[in-house]
């Protein structure tokens, strides 16, 4: 039997991957072939074809797309932190206290809608346009401080490197979008199309902005994949007849995104090959290397169930000093190195998040040091360097299955940490620092 006969349901996807490989191998001018970059690209595309062929036999394809339309705030940029900071300061001046929960009402809205909600909810005496003109300069001052969300740079680089057309479609005015992305190297030139809320009659949830993006890309709406963090954005994408991946920027919201074709926890969990796009190739031994980050402090009491309920002790850190850092990092299972100044440096696997199985109300850090200690070490200074990602947090049908999964995570982390790319962090002075 021919290989293609075994996989009829994936013919479209194969054709796409094959065309990509074929295009870069045979349709290049001789000049192109002289450049190493083009040959590399051809090899990359052939490798994609191989992965697609392999996947074709094992995993179902969701839907074939040929371009990606990205939202900006909350999807690529960690804008929520800045919004909260600005509103906290602004409302404070008027004797009001910013309540973080209000964020839910403004995520994905146009600036006008968001300002209207704030004026109403806080009973402000100013008009919406007065509020906007006061807030505008406060926001503009902060744009240089908005960080890229984990996985955003990786995604943009990956798609543009594989010549997958990408567009940016945001409810923000075009000028603001341009300024915000100017602080992120390589972003502006990666987008074939950038379209702002002021360039269409109605913003999301109207489909107009996505339809206009598709038109400018010269691609059928049904061949577009939208990536969005907000409900209005997901609604807009579906109304435009597009495939939509939701990456909710607010916690515990996944259940609201039923209209999305897929809901993922963070951009780190995106698998482009599910949509017929080139797969990421940076996963290694079931782990994804990330830009390393550090967190530390005295070990505090947790929920008292790590050792007792699971047989897995986790040395909890206070999240007080680190709320900004924690909100930047998606929940999930990570690993790295842990330093206790008087005891040494140990391999470590941890979860960050709300422990869906126990449905916590607080985002916690739960590092399990992969070493047998004779005693507890509450109060001791614990320093962590987080170097890689394993998986999103999940719920489980039973305690046994949660425990089994955590032991799998342990094995993955233990093996991966011997790779030079991860083991080199073991000698970082931060791990031995006792302050
Ligand atoms: P809690 O809910 O207070 O965090 P746990 O049952 O999770 O309690 O146990 C965590 C405590 O156990 C840590 O604070 C630490 O003092 C101790 N401990 C002993 N061995 C380990 C280990 N291998 N990893 C993490 N903590 C450990
Ligand atoms: N809790 C969950 O509810 N879901 C998870 O997927 C999950 N993964 C974990 C992975 C690791 C490596 C560790 C150390 C913990 C994980 N936990 C998870 C957290 C666990 O439930 C927590 O440590 C206990 O609730 C103790 O407070
Ligand atoms: Mg614990």
């Amino acid at each position: 039997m021919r290989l293609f006969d075994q996989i009829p349901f994936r013919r479209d996807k194969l054709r796409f991957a094959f065309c990509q490989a074929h295009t870069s191998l045979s349709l290049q001018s001789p000049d192109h072939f002289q450049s190493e970059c083009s040959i590399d690209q051809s090899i990359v595309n052939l490798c994609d074809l191989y992965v697609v062929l392999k996947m074709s036999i094992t995993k179902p394809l969701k839907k074939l797309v040929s371009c990606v339309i990205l939202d900006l705030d909350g999807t690529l940029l960690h804008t929520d932190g800045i919004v909260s900071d600005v509103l906290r300061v602004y409302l404070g001046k008027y004797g009001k206290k910013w309540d973080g929960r209000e964020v839910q009402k403004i995520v994905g809205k146009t600036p006008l809608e968001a300002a209207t909600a704030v004026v109403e909810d806080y009973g402000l005496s100013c008009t919406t346009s007065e509020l906007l003109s006061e807030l505008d300069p406060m926001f503009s001052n902060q744009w240089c401080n908005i960080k890229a969300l984990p996985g955003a740079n990786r995604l943009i680089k990956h798609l543009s490197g594989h010549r997958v057309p990408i567009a940016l479609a945001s409810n923000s005015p075009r000028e603001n979008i341009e300024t915000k992305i100017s602080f992120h190297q390589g972003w502006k030139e990666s987008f074939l199309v950038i379209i702002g809320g002021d360039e269409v009659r109605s913003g999301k949830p109207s489909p107009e902005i996505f339809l206009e993006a598709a038109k400018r890309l010269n691609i059928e709406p049904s061949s577009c994949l939208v990536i969005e963090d907000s409900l209005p954005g997901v609604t807009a994408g579906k109304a435009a007849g597009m495939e939509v991946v939701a990456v909710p920027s607010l916690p515990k919201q996944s259940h609201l995104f039923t209209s999305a074709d897929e809901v993922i926890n963070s951009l780190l969990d995106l698998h482009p090959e599910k949509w017929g796009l080139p797969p990421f190739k940076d996963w290694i031994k079931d782990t994804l290397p990330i830009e390393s980050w550090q967190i530390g402090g005295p070990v505090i009491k947790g929920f008292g169930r790590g050792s007792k309920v699971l047989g897995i002790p986790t040395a909890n850190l206070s999240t007080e000093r680190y709320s900004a850092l924690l909100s930047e990092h998606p929940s999930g299972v990570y690993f790295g190195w842990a330093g206790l100044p008087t005891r040494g440096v140990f391999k470590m696997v941890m979860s960050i998040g709300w422990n869906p199985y126990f449905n916590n109300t607080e985002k916690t850090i739960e590092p399990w040091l992969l070493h047998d200690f004779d005693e507890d070490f509450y109060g001791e200074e614990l320093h962590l360097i987080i170097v890689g990602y394993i998986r999103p947090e999940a719920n489980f049908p039973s305690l046994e299955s949660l425990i089994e999964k955590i032991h799998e995570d342990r094995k993955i982390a233990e093996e991966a940490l011997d790779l030079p790319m991860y083991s080199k962090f073991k000698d970082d002075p931060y791990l031995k620092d006792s302050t």
Side-chain angles (χ1 to χ4, degrees):
M1 198 196 288
R2 287 181 313 154
L3 178 61
F4 272 48
D5 291 338
Q6 293 173 33
I7 43 176
F9 57 98
R10 297 184 66 101
R11 273 201 182 125
D12 272 356
K13 186 173 158 71
L14 284 169
R15 196 177 325 121
F16 175 70
F18 190 76
C19 283
Q20 278 207 322
H22 182 261
T23 306
S24 71
L25 265 181
S26 61
L27 299 185
Q28 312 236 13
S29 69
D31 287 353
H32 267 108
F33 260 114
Q34 275 162 20
S35 105
E36 247 178 59
C37 172
S38 300
I39 293 170
D40 280 354
Q41 188 65 45
S42 306
I43 294 168
V44 163
N45 288 342
L46 274 177
C47 292
D48 291 347
L49 175 62
Y50 168 74
V51 174
V52 169
L53 275 168
K54 212 171 103 185
M55 251 196 69
S56 300
I57 301 164
T58 53
K59 285 187 196 156
L61 168 72
K62 280 201 174 272
K63 172 114 196 284
L64 177 79
V65 303
S66 53
C67 73
V68 177
I69 308 180
L70 293 152
D71 168 57
L72 182 62
D73 296 306
T75 301
L76 295 176
L77 290 181
H78 182 57
T79 322
D80 296 358
I82 301 292
V83 171
S84 296
D85 289 350
V86 165
L87 286 173
R88 189 175 297 113
V89 170
Y90 177 84
L91 292 168
K93 278 202 302 196
Y94 294 88
K96 313 255 177 186
K97 195 168 181 314
W98 164 247
D99 177 348
R101 277 170 296 176
E102 296 292 327
V103 165
Q104 302 211 10
K105 291 204 177 155
I106 57 180
V107 166
K109 298 279 168 67
T110 62
L112 191 66
E113 287 166 341
T116 309
V118 172
V119 169
E120 270 175 24
D121 289 353
Y122 285 88
L124 301 181
S125 52
C126 61
T127 65
T128 301
S129 54
E130 281 165 354
L131 173 66
L132 273 179
S133 55
E134 273 206 65
L135 287 181
D136 250 5
M138 293 174 78
F139 278 125
S140 312
N141 281 339
Q142 291 300 321
W143 284 339
C144 55
N145 297 323
I146 307 179
K147 293 197 175 150
L149 279 162
N153 273 309
R154 168 182 180 246
L155 176 63
I156 292 171
K157 241 189 188 166
H158 174 73
L159 294 175
S160 57
H162 285 85
R163 299 181 195 160
V164 175
I166 46 178
L168 190 58
S170 159
N171 266 354
S172 286
R174 169 71 182 259
E175 199 188 324
N176 297 2
I177 299 175
E178 300 257 1
T179 315
K180 281 187 236 181
I181 64 173
S182 70
F183 298 103
H184 299 270
Q185 217 193 343
W187 285 23
K188 188 172 165 46
E189 44 282 29
S190 298
F191 297 112
L192 295 190
V193 166
I194 297 176
I195 175 162
D198 55 342
E199 293 177 83
V200 287
R201 265 163 309 161
S202 18
K204 307 167 195 174
S206 158
E208 205 184 331
I209 197 162
F210 288 132
L211 291 172
E212 183 60 27
K215 198 164 137 195
R216 293 193 200 173
L217 285 171
N218 201 17
I219 294 178
E220 283 296 307
S222 61
S223 297
C224 299
L225 176 68
V226 166
I227 305 183
E228 259 291 349
D229 73 302
S230 75
L231 273 178
V234 170
T235 308
K238 287 317 295 174
M242 300 177 176
E243 295 301 298
V244 180
V245 172
V247 200
S249 52
L250 299 175
K252 301 189 178 209
Q253 300 283 305
S254 303
H255 61 286
L256 300 176
F257 287 78
T258 44
S259 62
D261 298 286
E262 188 183 19
V263 184
I264 56 176
N265 185 59
S266 79
L267 291 179
L268 302 179
D269 301 313
L270 184 75
H271 289 279
E273 67 275 18
K274 284 189 184 171
W275 308 93
L277 298 170
F280 284 114
K281 301 212 187 77
D282 45 2
W283 282 85
I284 172 159
K285 287 191 162 225
D286 295 324
T287 68
L288 177 65
I290 57 169
E291 211 175 292
S292 69
W293 58 283
Q294 308 174 345
I295 193 163
V299 174
I300 59 162
K301 283 265 175 200
F303 299 99
R305 62 177 177 234
S307 322
K308 285 193 201 88
V309 181
L310 303 166
I312 296 166
T314 53
N316 297 56
L317 287 174
S318 164
T319 52
E320 240 168 56
R321 274 192 288 162
Y322 291 108
S323 59
L325 192 60
L326 270 192
S327 82
E328 237 173 73
H329 290 280
S331 59
V333 177
Y334 296 82
F335 64 96
W337 297 96
L340 288 160
T342 61
R343 297 174 194 267
V345 172
F346 309 94
K347 290 178 174 176
M348 174 279 299
V349 65
M350 67 193 258
S351 78
I352 300 180
W354 290 266
N355 302 353
Y357 184 83
F358 297 99
N359 196 18
N360 291 355
T361 50
E362 211 193 315
K363 193 174 187 181
T364 61
I365 312 168
E366 309 261 353
W368 180 21
L369 279 54
L370 304 181
H371 178 82
D372 283 332
F373 294 91
D374 296 333
E375 53 181 2
D376 287 348
F377 42 84
Y378 288 110
E380 291 184 29
E381 194 71 15
L382 171 65
H383 284 191
L384 307 175
I385 298 185
I386 296 100
V387 300
Y389 174 73
I390 299 179
R391 64 173 175 91
E393 277 199 304
N395 204 339
F396 292 86
S398 64
L399 195 61
E400 292 68 40
S401 50
L402 168 64
I403 295 170
E404 195 185 330
K405 190 70 182 171
I406 299 178
H407 280 278
E408 237 177 70
D409 297 329
R410 172 194 178 133
K411 201 162 172 280
I412 291 172
E414 231 164 14
E415 284 176 16
L417 282 163
D418 288 332
L419 295 168
M421 64 191 305
Y422 296 131
S423 67
K424 66 179 183 203
F425 290 94
K426 174 167 73 175
D427 302 318
D428 193 301
Y430 177 70
L431 295 169
K432 297 187 177 116
D433 181 4
S434 56
T435 51

